[in-house]
Amino acid sequence: MMTERRKDAEILTVKVDELLESRDDAIRDISTEINRLMEERKKLEEPFIKKIEELKDEYLDKYLRDSNDNPVRIGDVIVKGKTKYKVLDRYQQKFFSYLGNPRVEVKKWNIDGGLGRVIISLYSDDLKNYTKID
């Protein structure tokens, strides 16, 4: 035996589903146009985004160099003494209205071969004390 609450819930579900379907029908054309415009925008932005990333990489390659003057990049392993570090990220921050202050973020390799928990920031001058290894 169905209770009144359950019947009302079923009626509510049907009405809501009908309204959602009507809404979807009503906005389908505009949603399609919005998606088309977003794709067009993405295509127009792509060359600019690519050029910006190239400029940033050139800057970072120029200033993030190890003791042998090799550029230090994401994924590299650098060493200072007997301690190895894995490069996780490299970037510059906006500092007094311009991009600069380049650094890498590293984690120390543990004796067991895993990465430590602490992320360390190394700046351009710091990297001169480290050597990139293969």
Side-chain angles (χ1 to χ4, degrees), residues 82-111:
K82 294 183 179 184
T83 308
K84 293 180 183 180
Y85 301 85
K86 174 84 169 185
V87 179
L88 305 174
D89 198 5
R90 68 181 200 156
Y91 59 94
Q92 67 278 343
Q93 71 183 87
K94 197 160 192 168
F95 193 67
F96 295 118
S97 302
Y98 66 91
L99 288 169
N101 208 13
R103 71 189 74 188
V104 296
E105 288 186 341
V106 299
K107 281 189 177 180
K108 183 178 172 182
W109 283 105
N110 293 328
I111 295 171

Side-chain angles (χ1 to χ4, degrees), residues 7-24:
K7 286 179 186 178
D8 287 346
E10 287 179 354
I11 292 169
L12 173 64
T13 300
V14 169
K15 287 180 179 180
V16 168
D17 287 346
E18 288 172 353
L19 284 170
L20 289 172
E21 188 174 327
S22 295
R23 180 206 60 191
D24 291 347

Side-chain angles (χ1 to χ4, degrees), residues 50-104:
K50 184 178 178 185
K51 184 61 179 172
I52 288 167
E53 289 305 312
E54 288 172 1
L55 289 170
K56 287 179 179 180
D57 281 341
E58 287 174 15
Y59 177 86
L60 294 173
D61 282 348
K62 182 176 180 179
Y63 291 102
L64 295 175
R65 297 182 105 44
D66 73 353
S67 61
N68 294 324
D69 204 35
N70 296 311
V72 177
R73 298 184 177 114
I74 296 172
D76 289 345
V77 176
I78 57 176
V79 64
K80 181 178 181 183
K82 294 183 179 184
T83 308
K84 293 180 183 180
Y85 301 85
K86 174 84 169 185
V87 179
L88 305 174
D89 198 5
R90 68 181 200 156
Y91 59 94
Q92 67 278 343
Q93 71 183 87
K94 197 160 192 168
F95 193 67
F96 295 118
S97 302
Y98 66 91
L99 288 169
N101 208 13
R103 71 189 74 188
V104 296

